[in-house]
Amino acid sequence: MCPRGSCCGILPGPGDEGPQTMVGPFFKFGDLNIADLNLTGKEIPATIGAGDKFPFVVQVREFNANQCLFFLDPVLTEIR
């Protein structure tokens, strides 16, 4: 869990399978607070964790071809 106000790394998976995603590139948000995700919606959660699903709008900061890893900066995150 990443509680509000604390920093953590987030590794979102592509698609709607969450932690069960097996195919596709890897994505990573670096150390950030929940506030940094720019959450929008009616009910903003106090924490986020494995299996939570969010549509993200991001800016790609860097791509590591050896790891097939995209480093992301959040622009907008919508609560479903």
Side-chain angles (χ1 to χ4, degrees):
M1 292 270 186
C2 183
R4 187 179 299 279
S6 69
C7 292
C8 62
I10 299 175
L11 301 168
D16 286 331
E17 298 302 318
Q20 282 70 44
T21 299
M22 301 303 280
V23 177
F26 297 101
F27 302 98
K28 182 176 183 177
F29 291 107
D31 289 336
L32 48 81
N33 296 315
I34 288 182
D36 296 327
L37 291 175
N38 302 313
L39 297 171
T40 64
K42 291 182 181 183
E43 295 185 32
I44 306 300
T47 62
I48 60 172
D52 290 346
K53 297 178 182 176
F54 302 100
F56 294 101
V57 176
V58 300
Q59 180 174 355
V60 176
R61 181 172 17 105
E62 182 182 339
F63 175 68
N64 181 316
N66 292 330
Q67 297 174 312
C68 196
L69 176 63
F70 288 90
F71 292 90
L72 308 175
D73 290 326
V75 174
L76 180 72
T77 308
E78 182 181 345
I79 303 301
R80 288 188 183 179

